[in-house]
Amino acid sequence: MSGTTLSPGRVFISYAHDDDDEHADQVREFWRFLRANGIDALLDLPAGEIRQDWSLWMLRGIRDSRRVIVVASPQYRRRADGDALAGEGAGVQWEARLLRDLVYEDPEDALDRIVPVVLPGSAPADLPVWLSPGSHTHYTVEDFTETGAQSLLRLLTGQPYETVPDLGPVPLLPPREQPAAGGRSGRSATVSGPPPAFRMPDQTSLVDALMGCPAMHRLARRHELLSLMGEFLGLGHAFQVPEDSDARTHLRALDGRIRRTTLTSDAALKAMYFALKEIAPDDIGTKGVRDLLVACGLVFGEA
């Protein structure tokens, strides 16, 4: 992300001082790792270098941080779930009370702000019950590397791996083809496989040929063309193409619809030609369309 400055916001780390120093050392290493990766993580150890009103320090740390990381450990769960004696791990009990209030008062905000984290050697079962470790997301840190903590780093820095793609256009899906209910006798286009040598003309050539018919410059005539195509194909309705007042755009849509038809494209092209022939039988443009289709290997019977 060259040239982009990310501002993850402050992150407060809530953890328990367990019976030995090993857990605190691991949390210290985790805190240093976060700060080395541009995350303004707040830990109590540096604050302990000077005299503090700890209840106020913890209140401000949680209140003023964008997110609060809860580090899983057996002692944290015991104290945060109210199973510890009064005064035992008073700091964790105080922080947990503040976080439980947030969960109770605004669950959606709590889901966004409180981030349960499982460090190496710990387990999701070491998280407090009120963080719902079985049904809510938690973040496992395999080791203190970008790869080992990638999911957490992506969350804290607002860089998701999976992103939502832009919406594309809705496809035009034809209705189920209906059998003819008394179409024009002797004028249906045979629906069969295309001739071996047939190839679909390219869009530009077909549209240019159709634009050579003055009748196709008029919207009403294009409507008539689609209606006749539906009759020749035995659909029981007009051949469906998105309408457009611009003739060339409308004819491009017709070309696209022919390419996607559930019938064979040669049958649709025959129907188009026979419909055009009925609308403008003596037009030189109609002959130009036929010449193009014949050159593409289309074999015509008499309409």
Side-chain angles (χ1 to χ4, degrees):
M1 300 184 67
S2 178
T4 300
T5 301
L6 299 172
S7 181
R10 171 162 288 185
V11 175
F12 183 88
I13 300 176
S14 179
Y15 73 106
H17 291 264
D18 286 3
D19 295 335
D20 54 47
D21 292 333
E22 184 177 349
H23 183 63
D25 289 342
Q26 186 184 44
V27 173
R28 180 189 292 106
E29 186 180 357
F30 175 54
W31 165 65
R32 293 173 65 87
F33 167 74
L34 292 179
R35 293 193 65 84
N37 282 275
I39 297 165
D40 185 13
L42 182 64
L43 191 68
D44 64 346
L45 295 179
E49 296 298 316
I50 60 175
R51 193 163 181 262
Q52 295 284 353
D53 177 342
W54 284 109
S55 62
L56 186 59
W57 183 89
M58 289 181 281
L59 172 63
R60 287 173 174 169
I62 291 174
R63 181 194 64 193
D64 299 339
S65 294
R66 169 65 183 88
R67 286 193 165 94
V68 178
I69 287 178
V70 171
V71 179
S73 73
Q75 291 298 336
Y76 194 100
R77 174 170 178 165
R78 196 169 72 84
R79 295 165 186 171
D81 282 348
D83 296 328
L85 297 174
E88 179 188 340
V92 168
Q93 292 197 51
W94 175 247
E95 289 175 6
R97 186 177 297 113
L98 296 174
L99 295 175
R100 286 199 308 270
D101 283 346
L102 178 59
V103 172
Y104 181 79
E105 293 173 0
D106 194 340
E108 291 300 319
D109 186 42
L111 188 64
D112 177 59
R113 290 190 60 210
I114 302 175
V115 183
V117 170
V118 179
L119 296 182
S122 297
D126 296 329
L127 290 166
V129 170
W130 43 269
L131 284 181
S132 306
S135 62
H136 287 55
T137 305
H138 62 271
Y139 293 83
T140 298
V141 175
E142 301 290 345
D143 53 56
F144 300 135
T145 64
E146 184 178 317
T147 300
Q150 184 172 136
S151 60
L152 177 63
L153 291 176
R154 286 185 178 278
L155 173 74
L156 298 180
T157 60
Q159 300 180 86
Y161 179 72
E162 294 290 351
T163 57
V164 180
D166 294 335
L167 288 176
V170 176
L172 176 66
L173 303 175
R176 179 179 179 178
E177 306 290 2
Q178 300 294 328
R184 300 191 177 205
S185 176
R187 296 187 178 182
S188 62
T190 302
V191 179
S192 59
F198 169 75
R199 67 183 187 283
M200 182 73 185
D202 66 85
Q203 184 184 79
T204 300
S205 297
L206 182 58
V207 172
D208 285 349
L210 289 168
M211 287 294 291
C213 303
M216 291 298 96
H217 292 222
R218 297 170 56 190
L219 182 60
R221 288 298 200 177
R222 297 197 298 276
H223 283 169
E224 186 178 356
L225 177 82
L226 298 175
S227 179
L228 289 171
M229 284 181 67
E231 288 191 36
F232 289 137
L233 290 167
L235 302 181
H237 55 76
F239 192 72
Q240 295 190 341
V241 173
E243 183 175 307
D244 198 295
S245 58
D246 179 73
R248 187 172 290 275
T249 302
H250 199 182
L251 294 174
R252 284 197 195 101
L254 171 60
D255 173 272
R257 177 68 176 83
I258 289 173
R259 294 174 190 275
R260 297 192 304 272
T261 182
T262 55
L263 305 169
T264 58
S265 56
D266 69 315
L269 287 170
K270 286 180 183 179
M272 181 196 73
Y273 168 72
F274 290 141
L276 185 62
K277 183 179 177 182
E278 183 157 322
I279 294 170
D282 301 321
D283 196 306
I284 190 172
T286 302
K287 182 180 182 301
V289 171
R290 181 186 177 102
D291 290 345
L292 172 65
L293 298 179
V294 169
C296 289
L298 202 58
V299 178
F300 288 97
E302 289 300 322

